[in-house]
Amino acid sequence: QQQVKQSPQSLIVQKGGISIINCAYENTAFDYFPWYQQFPGKGPALLIAIRPDVSEKKEGRFTISFNKSAKQFSLHIMDSQPGDSATYFCAAALYSSASKIIFGSGTRLSIRP
Amino acid sequence: NAGVTQTPKFQVLKTGQSMTLQCAQDMNHNSMYWYRQDPGMGLRLIYYSASEGTTDKGEVPNGYNVSRLNKREFSLRLESAAPSQTSVYFCASLKVKQAHTTQYFGPGTRLLVL
C-alpha cells in the first residue's frame, strides 16, 4: 500500500510563531509533493509544491523542506496568522503520471491570537 | 470561470436509496477525480478519469459507479446507499503545466445516509 504519513493530527500555535507539519512517504518513485490548504466547508486548494530535485522551496511565509534520503518533507509556516487556521494535507504523486495522488491524513492547524 | 462545481451541496438518503452526484469543470482539463473525505482519513480516491471516455478505480471504489459524460462532466452514482457511505465527497480536475500539476477541487457534497 502506498502511504503518506502525516503528523501531527492537530496543532495549536501562537500568532507570530512557526507552524511545522511533517510527512513521510514510502514509494521512492514519487516525484511530486504538493501541500493543500482546506478551510471549513470548502474544498482543498493547492498551497505550494516541490519536486525532489531541490531541498527547499519558499513562497512567502510558506516553505517546504524536502529530505530525499529520509523520504520526508515538511511544511513550515513562518509568522503564523489566525487566517492560516485550516486543515493542511500533504500529498505525493508521480509527476509523469499524475492520475493518482496519495494524500496524508491531514493536520488541523489553529493559530491563537 | 466557475472552476469545479458540484451538486447537490447536501443530501440525506435512507439506506438502500440511490443517487447521483454531479460534477462539472469549465477549465478544459482532461483528468477528473472523485474523492471522499472522512475525519482522520484524509482524502481517499474513489474513481478517476484520465481523459474523456476512460475511467479507473481508485482506492475505495466499492459501492460506487462513475460516468464521464463528456470532457466537462464526471458523475458519481451510489446504487444502494449504505451508512458507511456517509461522507463529504469532492470532485476535482487536474491541470498539468510545466513544473506543476494542480488539482482543482469543487466545494464538496455532504452526504448523510441513515
Side-chain angles (χ1 to χ4, degrees), chain A residues 32 36 38 41 89 95 98-99, chain B residues 33 37 97 99 101 103 110:
Chain A
Y32 180 66
Y36 284 80
Q38 183 182 28
F89 293 96
Y95 184 81
S99 56
Chain B
Y33 308 76
Q37 184 176 30
K97 192 177 180 181
T101 63
Q103 279 192 314
R110 284 147 185 82

Side-chain angles (χ1 to χ4, degrees), chain A residues 27 50 55 98:
Chain A
N27 189 344
I50 195 168
S55 60

Side-chain angles (χ1 to χ4, degrees), chain A residues 1 9 32 34 36 38 40-46 48-49 51 57 59 87 89 95 98-101 103-106, chain B residues 33 35 37 40-43 45 48 50 57-59 90 94 96-108 110:
Chain A
Q1 180 73 17
Q9 188 173 5
Y32 180 66
Y36 284 80
Q38 183 182 28
K42 305 292 185 182
L46 180 67
I48 186 173
R51 301 288 303 276
K57 183 173 182 180
E59 291 185 1
T87 299
F89 293 96
Y95 184 81
S99 56
K100 293 184 181 181
I101 298 177
F103 285 87
S105 56
Chain B
Y33 308 76
Y35 292 91
Q37 184 176 30
M41 302 193 72
L43 291 153
L45 182 65
Y48 69 97
K57 295 179 180 179
E59 181 185 355
F90 288 100
L94 183 73
V96 179
K97 192 177 180 181
Q98 187 176 10
H100 258 305
T101 63
T102 304
Q103 279 192 314
Y104 292 86
F105 285 83
R110 284 147 185 82

Side-chain angles (χ1 to χ4, degrees), chain B residues 40-61:
Chain B
M41 302 193 72
L43 291 153
R44 292 185 292 169
L45 182 65
I46 305 171
Y47 272 93
Y48 69 97
S49 171
S51 61
E52 184 180 355
T54 67
T55 61
D56 284 287
K57 295 179 180 179
E59 181 185 355
V60 289

Side-chain angles (χ1 to χ4, degrees), chain A residues 4 7 10-11 48 56 70 72 80 99:
Chain A
V4 176
S7 63
S10 62
L11 180 62
I48 186 173
E56 185 175 282
Q72 295 175 346
S80 299
S99 56

Side-chain angles (χ1 to χ4, degrees), chain B residues 45-92:
Chain B
L45 182 65
I46 305 171
Y47 272 93
Y48 69 97
S49 171
S51 61
E52 184 180 355
T54 67
T55 61
D56 284 287
K57 295 179 180 179
E59 181 185 355
V60 289
N62 291 342
Y64 305 95
N65 286 299
V66 290
S67 295
R68 184 72 183 267
L69 304 171
N70 48 56
K71 192 171 187 178
R72 289 188 65 251
E73 299 172 290
F74 189 37
S75 62
L76 179 71
R77 182 161 179 84
L78 286 70
E79 291 291 351
S80 179
S84 60
Q85 294 178 304
T86 293
S87 188
V88 181
Y89 291 85
F90 288 100
C91 176

